[in-house]
Amino acid sequence: MITASVATPLAAATQQTLGGVAQWSGVGLHSGQPVEVTLRPAPVNTGRQFVRLDLEGQPVIPAQIEAVKSTQLATELVAHGASVRTVEHLLAALAIAGIDNVTIEITGAEVPILDGSAQSWLDGIQRVGIVPQEVPRPAVTLSEPITVYEGEAFVSAIPAPELRLTYGIDFPYTAIGRQWCSFIPSELAAAVAPARTFGLAEQVEYLRSQGLIQGGSLENALVCSKSGWVNPPLRFADEPVRHKLLDLWGDLALLGTPPIAHYVAYRASHHLHTQLAQAIARQMV
């Protein structure tokens, strides 16, 4: 069971939107195609929504868990015959900043990767400012634990007095190995937003042959080989696990306001992240 009430000090007392218009341009990680993104303030109860400016009728795709279509190396949303992919870093930045209502205008099917982290998104949001709105933001509380498994991998939401995110990874590459991190939301801007996406050098050619990571480069992703990092330095000694936690927060943002809980993930993926969010959403009805 999940219950909702007026927000606690953990969250802002009211819903929030942007103080102005923010714009970015770049290439999609998987498509390699150039794309522009414009964030605009939105009225209360709008939520976060994408608008495909490049398609006839400019269809709207809500950033909601019900719209998840694919989770292959990124999270893809589909609605009204349109799609948008690799939404997780932008949504994580919006959630970190506390932006509830925003219109995300986009000129293509994939959100640009920028530097591979959420930092550029967060910087742009902070430049235009955050405006409180007149409607209270609910604080949703989880009363029963939920866990989703896939082999040894899992992701859980556990009832807790405050929201916390904990993540663990384990790779056979010595430079990565086993890493764990744990943060509360107020720490994410400094400790998690700058963490960049990463990949394994031995998988690059195969993924490209499958039509993936066409826009990937050493400028927007950390690459690790069996002998070490190809493009150091890292921003954090444990940057890979911090990025995985960033991905989790971006996927949980598809719930709008995630329940107050302790989220624990180990060797998880966008597939498991969104499965957990879907299970939570079913209890929130």
Side-chain angles (χ1 to χ4, degrees):
M1 178 181 295
I2 296 175
T3 59
S5 63
V6 176
T8 67
L10 176 67
T14 65
Q15 294 181 27
Q16 298 184 132
T17 192
L18 295 171
V21 176
Q23 296 179 302
W24 296 260
S25 61
V27 299
L29 173 62
H30 295 296
S31 68
Q33 296 300 307
V35 64
E36 296 180 356
V37 171
T38 302
L39 302 188
R40 297 186 184 277
V44 297
N45 297 325
T46 299
R48 308 175 189 113
Q49 59 181 16
F50 290 88
V51 179
R52 285 287 303 272
L53 296 184
D54 58 313
L55 298 180
E56 184 178 357
Q58 299 185 351
V60 174
I61 307 168
Q64 297 174 357
I65 192 61
E66 295 81 8
V68 172
K69 172 68 173 179
S70 170
T71 53
Q72 184 184 23
L73 298 184
T75 298
E76 180 182 21
L77 308 177
V78 174
H80 304 115
S83 66
V84 62
R85 187 180 189 186
T86 317
V87 300
E88 56 271 12
H89 302 168
L90 172 53
L91 293 182
L94 290 166
I96 289 170
I99 300 298
D100 303 279
N101 302 303
V102 59
T103 296
I104 307 163
E105 297 177 347
I106 187 166
T107 62
E110 185 175 21
V111 175
I113 189 63
L114 303 181
D115 76 342
S117 78
Q119 190 63 58
S120 295
W121 299 114
L122 191 57
D123 288 345
I125 292 166
Q126 291 173 337
R127 275 195 296 271
V128 299
I130 299 165
V131 175
Q133 297 173 294
E134 64 272 18
V135 174
R137 175 194 292 166
V140 187
T141 303
L142 186 76
S143 59
E144 298 175 0
I146 302 173
T147 301
V148 180
Y149 295 93
E150 190 171 82
E152 294 182 351
F154 72 88
V155 59
S156 297
I158 304 164
E162 69 172 5
L163 200 155
R164 175 172 286 275
L165 301 160
T166 299
Y167 216 110
I169 59 174
D170 192 355
F171 283 80
Y173 288 61
T174 302
I176 302 176
R178 181 174 295 171
Q179 301 179 359
W180 282 91
C181 68
S182 186
F183 299 103
I184 59 174
S186 62
E187 298 172 320
L188 299 181
V192 173
R196 295 163 291 175
T197 193
F198 66 99
L200 307 180
E202 287 74 14
Q203 295 180 356
V204 168
E205 290 309 315
Y206 171 75
L207 292 174
R208 285 185 171 161
S209 73
Q210 299 301 301
L212 299 167
I213 65 169
Q214 302 300 305
S217 73
L218 297 180
E219 302 303 315
N220 57 34
L222 289 169
V223 178
C224 189
S225 71
K226 293 178 180 178
S227 59
W229 290 104
V230 174
N231 55 336
L234 274 63
R235 293 174 179 174
F236 308 98
D238 59 350
E239 190 168 355
V241 74
R242 293 185 189 221
H243 183 79
K244 292 290 289 182
L245 190 148
L246 178 72
D247 283 345
L248 172 62
W249 195 225
D251 288 334
L252 290 174
L254 293 167
L255 290 167
T257 302
I260 296 171
H262 187 176
Y263 297 91
V264 183
Y266 176 65
R267 298 180 64 178
S269 60
H270 289 296
H271 177 62
L272 281 181
H273 299 168
T274 54
Q275 278 197 325
L276 177 69
Q278 288 164 351
I280 292 171
R282 286 193 292 270
Q283 292 197 17
M284 291 173 69
V285 175

